[in-house]
Amino acid sequence: MQHSTGPYDRIPTREPAALAVSRAWVALAALAVLSVSSASAANMVYFFADNGFGNPVSTLQHPCAEHHNGVTYIAYQGPLEDAYICAYNHQSGEWQGPVKAGDSLMGKQQPARIPGDIDNHGRPALMVDCEGYIHIVFGGHGGYPKFGRNEFGMWGDGRQTHVVSRHPEDISDWERRDNVSPFGTYSQFVHMDDGDIYLFYRHGSHQSDWVYQKSRDNGRTFHPPVSILKHKVREEDSNLHDAWYAWFDKGSGDTITASYVYHPCKTRGHDNARHNGYYMLMDCADDTWHNVRGRELAAPVTKESADKYTLVSNTGDMRSKRGTCRVDANGHPHVTFKQGGYVRYYRWLGNEWQQAVCVTPEPGTGECDLHVESPRAVWLVLARKAAGTGEICWWKTTDGGLTWNKDRCLLNKPGPGFRIGALVRNAHPDARVVASRQMQHHGGLYSELYLLGRNGPIRRRGREAAVLARHLAGLFGTTVTGNLGHD
Ligand code: ZN
């Protein structure tokens, strides 16, 4: 009988046959020898850092973590909305960080007092290039007017910022590269097999196009932005603007998938309406876009064209938020949208979209992502709150998404719910998901961070993971008293 350990069996991992040990790991290993004798199970904790700020990770800005050469690198939003990184070495079991990788222009003018003061749009996306350099793009929410004319939309806040590690496989030192548009937000990396890097983002605030910039030299230079989803005023109502929320990933072979929802953006009486679900595909041989049936689309795609050629789901007045999209071995997309209070799953059958199926029996959505094992066997990791308990669990279908059952849980705790990032890129089986959980103290501004895999959370020495008190004392000169809320 075949025994499954969850969505870990067939995930390609590049095990470190000969681990390239960077300077920083050598230094850390020396420290580890001194401390290993004092380490015991009693002072290990389940989180790896506690200085997550606001909503430090999301499936939107992605990937936030990547496994490369035996090490999982994790980026997240830390104090003052700056970009932070930690690294876990799967061979030695040692952690590094948090290290600040770059400064955001946001989060500084008004030190946040409540979670609602925190912008969160500039959460970091991370990738490791073919030479081992680590890239993080973060800090954008449309860009300030001082950066000049935005040819693809409206200004907003912050500056999309690209930083790169000064040395391969080393998180200790970073440099900024001014080679991407400052107007970007919701930054997303797609790294192709041939080394090409595509950086996708919305080029400004709501009333802006979605674009990508392409790099063929490991992120040293990027081509100018190319528009793919068009924002424009509606002909029949000048108060209404076509706007979008989109999610990109590598598809089958040399393709990139896009799944997205429509935002009717009102200039007066603005609300957060989102509708429908859409899907399209880029052929990276010539960077042309196609619908699921293979019809080439004129780019940038307009609302009219999207409705006609790329619609997965017409939700009418029902609210629809983007989920994620992964492809199977046939290249067929499996897509989720959060619609009407449920995570709804769709699959392309080759000639039509399968009818929507609600993954959970009761309403309640959270962040989720898909791992497609085969066209009929699909895993969905879902962070949600059920009966007062926050949980991160795998849900599984073996009949192509017609029925779903809750499988193993990676983490659950009474109290606040968890948030998760998109699945770790090229993941090690022990480290598939990055999660955060808001802590009670400091007005709920800060979060613990977790790295989860087949054995649940990867633990860390408490004195290494609980950095927030020292960190805040260094930033603000304040002394943190009382219970920090770890449990
Ligand atoms: Zn809007």
Side-chain angles (χ1 to χ4, degrees):
M1 186 178 128
Q2 280 261 315
H3 176 71
S4 171
T5 57
Y8 305 104
D9 302 342
R10 300 176 192 176
I11 296 167
T13 57
R14 283 181 279 159
E15 294 298 342
L19 191 72
V21 181
S22 70
R23 297 178 301 118
W25 283 110
V26 172
L28 192 77
L31 285 173
V33 172
L34 297 174
S35 55
V36 72
S37 58
S38 61
S40 70
N43 57 30
M44 302 294 276
V45 294
Y46 288 114
F47 56 94
F48 66 83
D50 62 351
N51 69 335
F53 188 55
N55 303 329
V57 294
S58 163
T59 55
L60 184 48
Q61 294 87 349
H62 76 101
C64 69
E66 177 165 346
H67 171 237
H68 174 84
N69 204 16
V71 176
T72 297
Y73 300 93
I74 307 145
Y76 60 93
Q77 177 173 276
L80 303 175
E81 298 181 34
D82 295 331
Y84 281 79
I85 183 167
C86 286
Y88 178 73
N89 186 317
H90 290 269
Q91 191 174 56
S92 68
E94 291 298 323
W95 283 92
Q96 268 194 311
V99 170
K100 185 165 80 170
D103 293 297
S104 173
L105 294 185
M106 296 189 290
K108 309 294 186 294
Q109 297 85 349
Q110 297 177 313
R113 298 188 184 282
I114 57 170
D117 289 342
I118 303 170
D119 187 291
N120 289 319
H121 286 73
R123 278 181 289 243
L126 173 149
M127 63 148 293
V128 184
D129 73 25
C130 299
E131 298 170 1
Y133 290 91
I134 307 151
H135 298 249
I136 296 176
V137 171
F138 70 100
H141 188 184
Y144 297 121
K146 68 180 177 184
F147 297 126
R149 181 170 161 266
N150 179 354
E151 63 180 309
F152 294 105
M154 299 283 284
W155 296 301
D157 296 316
R159 173 180 60 203
Q160 181 173 251
T161 302
H162 177 204
V163 295
V164 187
S165 63
R166 282 194 195 276
H167 305 282
E169 302 178 17
D170 179 353
I171 67 169
S172 61
D173 201 9
W174 295 80
E175 64 183 1
R176 197 175 98 194
R177 283 192 193 154
D178 289 326
N179 57 5
V180 299
S181 168
F183 300 112
T185 187
Y186 302 129
S187 315
Q188 305 174 32
F189 278 121
V190 181
H191 195 188
M192 307 306 290
D193 294 338
D194 62 5
D196 285 358
I197 298 165
Y198 289 81
L199 176 66
F200 288 88
Y201 55 87
R202 193 180 67 195
H203 200 285
S205 55
H206 283 204
Q207 297 179 358
S208 304
D209 288 5
W210 283 78
V211 306
Y212 68 83
Q213 288 187 252
K214 181 176 180 176
S215 173
R216 310 201 73 172
D217 58 3
N218 285 326
R220 288 181 180 83
T221 62
F222 281 84
H223 299 178
V226 177
S227 174
I228 53 173
L229 275 173
K230 188 169 177 55
H231 81 95
K232 63 178 169 62
V233 178
R234 292 215 59 78
E235 273 179 25
E236 70 274 19
D237 182 354
S238 62
N239 188 47
L240 207 57
H241 225 96
D242 293 336
W244 309 94
Y245 288 86
W247 197 88
F248 302 90
D249 190 35
K250 186 181 172 304
S252 181
D254 200 21
T255 66
I256 292 173
T257 62
S259 56
Y260 50 104
V261 298
Y262 176 65
H263 168 48
C265 187
K266 302 184 180 94
T267 302
R268 293 181 308 282
H270 187 266
D271 60 29
N272 61 3
R274 287 146 176 61
H275 301 298
N276 301 343
Y278 303 87
Y279 169 84
M280 61 186 185
L281 180 75
M282 181 159 77
D283 180 349
C284 298
D286 55 6
D287 291 350
T288 53
W289 288 88
H290 304 261
N291 75 357
V292 72
R293 297 178 188 278
R295 181 192 175 96
E296 187 168 339
L297 304 166
V301 171
T302 62
K303 172 68 160 55
E304 291 74 18
S305 175
D307 282 346
K308 192 169 179 183
Y309 299 118
T310 74
L311 199 61
V312 178
S313 162
N314 181 345
T315 60
D317 291 335
M318 188 169 71
R319 187 168 157 79
S320 175
K321 291 181 71 181
R322 57 104 213 149
T324 69
C325 174
R326 307 286 186 179
V327 299
D328 61 33
N330 301 323
H332 293 168
H334 300 238
V335 193
T336 58
F337 297 103
K338 291 172 240 176
Q339 298 173 331
Y342 289 87
V343 173
R344 290 180 200 247
Y345 165 86
Y346 296 82
R347 175 166 79 105
W348 179 248
L349 298 172
N351 56 351
E352 62 178 343
W353 290 99
Q354 182 168 282
Q355 288 277 311
V357 175
C358 297
V359 172
T360 57
E362 63 282 332
T365 62
E367 293 274 13
C368 61
D369 197 1
L370 293 164
H371 171 70
V372 179
E373 184 179 316
S374 73
R376 294 172 67 80
V378 181
W379 300 82
L380 179 139
V381 66
L382 173 65
R384 66 166 192 163
K385 203 161 169 185
T389 294
E391 63 172 37
I392 302 168
C393 303
W394 289 105
W395 293 68
K396 188 172 192 199
T397 179
T398 53
D399 59 9
L402 298 175
T403 58
W404 289 84
N405 289 300
K406 193 170 168 180
D407 203 88
R408 56 184 298 174
C409 286
L410 300 172
L411 194 59
N412 53 36
K413 273 188 182 183
F418 294 96
R419 293 172 181 275
I420 57 173
L423 289 172
V424 177
R425 185 167 186 273
N426 186 39
H428 187 287
D430 293 343
R432 298 275 285 136
V433 180
V434 178
S436 70
R437 183 175 184 257
Q438 190 184 74
M439 297 182 290
Q440 303 296 323
H441 60 83
H442 282 82
L445 295 174
Y446 295 93
S447 290
E448 293 168 347
L449 289 137
Y450 304 83
L451 183 60
L452 311 169
R454 60 184 165 186
N455 301 316
I458 295 181
R459 298 190 303 164
R460 188 175 189 185
R461 293 181 189 91
R463 66 172 182 278
E464 293 178 10
V467 296
L468 184 65
R470 289 196 303 277
H471 200 145
L472 293 182
L475 284 174
F476 303 117
T478 54
T479 305
V480 181
T481 55
N483 183 1
L484 264 182
H486 299 305
D487 53 21

